[in-house]
Amino acid sequence: MAPTSESLAAPATPAGAASGERREYRFARPVRWSWWISGGVFALVLLGVVDFLVNGRNWQWDVVAEYLFHPDILAGLGNTIVLTITCAVTGLIMGGVVAFLRMSSNPVFRVIGAVYIWLIRAIPALVLLLFIFFLAALLPQIPIGLPFLPPFATLPTNTLISQSTAAVLGLTLIQGAYIGEIYRGGILSVPRGQLEAARSMGMTHWQAMRRIIAPQSIRVVIPPLGNEMITLFKNTSLVFVIGYTELLTTVQLIYGETYQTIPLLVVACIWYLALTSIAMLGQRQLEKRFGKGFRGVDD
């Protein structure tokens, strides 16, 4: 006899089971041994690191506690924070200019933007800072006027390029190149059809960029932009080569007198870790704020 649809749909009843009795089969979840193994290895490594930090005599934690809130250290930390905020603002503005040049319909502007990014990427940050600081050796007087004509006025380079000026100018130029590319990537992440649709509704180009493209690109821009700001905070330590007194320079001056190199470097690392952690928390909140409605933001 051919099987009916009912007989195909009904599960087979094991022998000895009562009529109408429902049999449930439970499958045990496989044990993921890799989790246990990796967790155990991580715990052993973590315990080893903690033991090294706690029982290592050369760390000199008493010296670390002595200098952690030392007035000179706090003064250097304040200079680092001021330099970071200043260069962050100027870098964001410079990045906007670079992004405009790179995405301009004018081919001359595009070439200028591309050459600028090429130069900044090619020249190491330390070399750029030193070059700006010692610019007076190449150009003692900065002329103001037209090329190949006598200048209207001249400005002394040594007066204009101080340690703080060289630090801000160098870090701004570096940040401008990378932030400009971050802006450009965020804008390009928005489909071009949205810009065309906005223009078809009567919006000007700048209205469409401000109301349609920019709000959508912010979500894409925030993670790399936050990472760039944290990198800027750490890159302020590079200005020690021109004698700007920030956190690392202050630490170097102190251990140059006390010869307590390791504990003072630990002091610097603690402050860098603390402020970087605060910046990462702020970045996370911005990602949640501008990423609402997108999958994976609140994971």
Side-chain angles (χ1 to χ4, degrees):
M1 182 177 62
T4 62
S5 60
E6 290 79 8
S7 62
L8 290 175
T13 304
S19 176
E21 179 183 358
R22 186 174 180 180
R23 191 69 172 265
E24 294 184 359
Y25 296 92
R26 298 182 180 273
F27 295 94
R29 185 176 183 179
V31 178
R32 302 198 176 185
W33 296 106
S34 61
W35 292 5
W36 293 98
I37 294 173
S38 59
V41 171
F42 174 75
L44 289 175
V45 173
L46 182 61
L47 289 174
V49 172
V50 172
D51 178 66
F52 176 62
L53 292 175
V54 173
N55 297 323
R57 297 180 180 178
N58 294 330
W59 290 106
Q60 302 180 41
W61 292 109
D62 55 335
V63 179
V64 173
E66 177 185 354
Y67 283 99
L68 188 61
F69 296 100
H70 192 277
D72 292 340
I73 296 293
L74 294 180
L77 179 64
N79 289 339
T80 295
I81 294 174
V82 170
L83 182 61
T84 301
I85 294 174
T86 303
C87 294
V89 174
T90 55
L92 290 172
I93 296 173
M94 187 68 183
V97 174
V98 173
F100 168 77
L101 293 175
R102 291 281 283 132
M103 304 190 72
S104 174
S105 58
N106 188 327
V108 177
F109 286 172
R110 292 200 302 270
V111 170
I112 293 174
V115 170
Y116 170 76
I117 292 174
W118 169 63
L119 288 174
I120 296 300
R121 285 176 172 176
I123 301 175
L126 282 174
V127 175
L128 181 62
L129 288 169
L130 288 171
F131 193 89
I132 294 173
F133 184 64
F134 292 110
L135 184 62
L138 177 66
L139 192 65
Q141 300 287 331
I142 298 178
I144 301 176
L146 299 176
F148 303 106
L149 294 177
F152 303 126
T154 59
L155 299 174
T157 305
N158 275 330
T159 303
L160 292 177
I161 307 297
S162 62
Q163 293 172 334
S164 58
T165 305
V168 171
L169 183 58
L171 293 177
T172 298
L173 291 174
I174 294 169
Q175 290 299 114
Y178 294 103
I179 291 176
E181 288 295 88
I182 291 173
Y183 285 163
R184 188 170 71 94
I187 293 172
L188 292 177
S189 68
V190 181
R192 184 171 179 81
Q194 298 197 24
L195 178 61
E196 295 173 353
R199 296 295 301 275
S200 67
M201 295 174 62
M203 292 187 184
T204 65
H205 179 81
W206 291 110
Q207 286 177 332
M209 291 293 294
R210 181 169 56 89
R211 298 180 181 179
I212 306 299
I213 306 300
Q216 296 183 72
S217 63
I218 288 178
R219 179 184 61 88
V220 180
V221 163
I222 284 177
L225 197 59
N227 186 63
E228 196 63 33
M229 294 297 102
I230 293 172
T231 302
L232 168 63
F233 170 66
K234 295 186 295 183
N235 281 346
T236 55
S237 62
L238 298 177
V239 300
F240 81 92
V241 298
I242 59 176
Y244 184 85
T245 310
E246 41 74 58
L247 178 59
L248 183 60
T249 306
T250 305
V251 165
Q252 289 177 322
L253 292 174
I254 295 176
Y255 74 60
E257 297 178 357
T258 63
Y259 299 101
Q260 295 170 323
T261 307
I262 296 299
L264 283 164
L265 288 177
V266 171
V267 169
C269 289
I270 289 174
W271 280 116
Y272 282 124
L273 284 170
L275 295 182
T276 300
S277 300
I278 295 173
M280 291 177 65
L281 290 175
Q283 175 187 339
R284 178 61 177 168
Q285 294 304 314
L286 286 175
E287 289 180 11
K288 288 184 176 181
R289 169 66 179 82
F290 290 100
K292 291 182 178 179
F294 292 90
R295 182 180 179 183
V297 173
D298 295 324
D299 291 344

